[in-house]
């Protein structure tokens, strides 16, 4: 009969609040965004601790303190220090590979040698200065094996890029000499980074200029000879 509970029509049935579907999906998105921000906060804190103390001496308590959170909050996202290092190291290695790709663009190698050095060295140096945790992690003791392996692969890739750049600059150079020169260039660059990262401002700029002068004087005879043929 009309009016009974059994006779409820769709028009009189109870409706869900408008937009509840959007709210249901928005809430997980907000939680995900908060989680990503918290992970970023913890990784930034870890980077600071690794730079100050080195990886081996760092602790999850120190990282949590640096991030301004409790150790329990940290453990919601990372089970231990190694997991933090792996995540941070992976991000830094990806960024390093992108930087190397930009530094060794083919068009950079068509420039005069002083400008080649600017085009190649400036982004590499800027990356290391902006990410000191990269140096601390990749050259520290006791870092997780996965990071070591990826860093070795990055170093091998960079060695190949340097050798390829030298071949473009001095195509008539014997392969064995190219290998030796590439290894020397990498050695000079890595040892100079120690000085560059240890200083700031004008002092840092001075060491960068010295590095470029050393490499220019080292490479110029080989490049000039082959380009003049």
């Amino acid at each position: 009969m009309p009016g009974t509970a059994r006779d409820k029509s769709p028009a009189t049935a109870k409706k869900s609040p408008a937009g509840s579907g959007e709210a249901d999906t928005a809430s997980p998105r907000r939680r995900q965004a908060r989680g990503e921000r918290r992970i970023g906060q913890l990784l930034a804190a870890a980077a600071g601790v690794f730079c100050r103390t080195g990886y081996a001496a760092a602790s999850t308590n120190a990282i949590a303190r640096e991030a301004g959170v409790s150790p329990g909050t940290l453990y919601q996202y990372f089970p231990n220090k190694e997991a933090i290092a792996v995540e941070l190291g992976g991000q830094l290695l990806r960024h390093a590979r992108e930087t190397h790709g930009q530094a060794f663009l083919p068009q950079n190698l068509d420039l005069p040698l002083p400008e080649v050095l600017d085009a190649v060295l400036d982004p590499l140096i800027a990356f290391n200065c902006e990410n000191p945790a990269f140096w601390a992690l990749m050259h520290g003791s006791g870092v997780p094996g996965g990071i070591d392996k990826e860093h070795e692969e990055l170093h091998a890739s960079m060695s190949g890029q340097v050798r390829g750049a030298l071949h473009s600059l001095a195509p008539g150079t014997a392969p064995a000499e190219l290998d030796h020169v590439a290894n020397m260039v990498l050695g000079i660059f890595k040892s100079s980074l120690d000085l560059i990262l240890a200083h700031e401002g004008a002092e840092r700029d001075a060491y960068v200029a010295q590095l470029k002068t050393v490499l220019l004087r080292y490479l110029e005879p080989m490049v000039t000879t082959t380009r003049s043929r």
Side-chain angles (χ1 to χ4, degrees):
M1 293 177 61
T4 64
R6 288 190 300 272
D7 199 35
K8 247 182 212 181
S9 68
T12 59
K14 185 177 179 181
K15 295 181 180 179
S16 299
S20 64
E22 288 85 347
D24 289 344
T25 57
S27 183
R29 285 200 297 269
R30 283 196 295 270
R31 287 197 295 270
Q32 182 180 3
R34 284 197 298 270
E36 290 172 354
R37 286 195 298 271
R38 181 68 79 192
I39 288 171
Q41 178 187 5
L42 291 168
L43 293 177
V49 173
F50 293 155
C51 287
R52 286 197 305 274
T53 70
Y55 173 78
S59 67
T60 51
N61 283 346
I63 294 169
R65 189 162 52 248
E66 178 86 2
V69 302
S70 69
T73 297
L74 182 150
Y75 290 129
Q76 291 177 19
Y77 299 94
F78 296 103
N80 49 43
K81 178 179 73 171
E82 289 77 8
I84 297 173
V86 167
E87 178 65 24
L88 177 61
Q91 290 187 9
L92 291 171
L93 283 161
R94 286 191 294 274
H95 189 183
R97 291 188 192 97
E98 292 169 2
T99 301
H100 291 183
Q102 294 165 4
F104 291 98
L105 288 171
Q107 56 263 37
N108 290 344
L109 307 179
D110 293 331
L111 301 168
L113 184 57
E115 295 177 37
V116 170
L117 293 175
D118 288 340
V120 171
L121 292 174
D122 287 348
L124 299 180
I125 292 169
F127 167 78
N128 281 277
C129 291
E130 293 164 7
N131 300 281
F134 179 79
W135 190 260
L137 260 183
M138 302 306 156
H139 299 89
S141 60
V143 296
I147 294 178
D148 268 347
K149 182 180 178 183
E150 286 194 63
H151 184 242
E152 288 173 6
E153 291 171 356
L154 178 69
H155 178 79
S157 172
M158 186 175 179
S159 180
Q161 288 171 312
V162 171
R163 192 187 187 283
L166 291 171
H167 179 68
S168 296
L169 295 168
T173 307
E177 185 179 357
L178 279 178
D179 291 338
H180 295 152
V181 174
N183 288 334
M184 282 298 299
V185 168
L186 277 176
I188 292 168
F189 174 72
K190 287 176 66 178
S191 60
S192 299
L193 268 181
D194 280 330
L195 282 169
I196 292 168
L197 293 175
H199 295 82
E200 295 181 354
E203 282 293 296
R204 174 175 286 176
D205 294 340
Y207 282 114
V208 170
Q210 288 295 316
L211 168 61
K212 291 179 180 179
T213 299
V214 169
L215 290 178
L216 178 64
R217 291 177 180 172
Y218 176 51
L219 296 174
E220 198 166 32
M222 181 178 76
V223 173
T224 303
T225 300
T226 56
R227 283 187 170 179
S228 63
R229 288 174 184 171

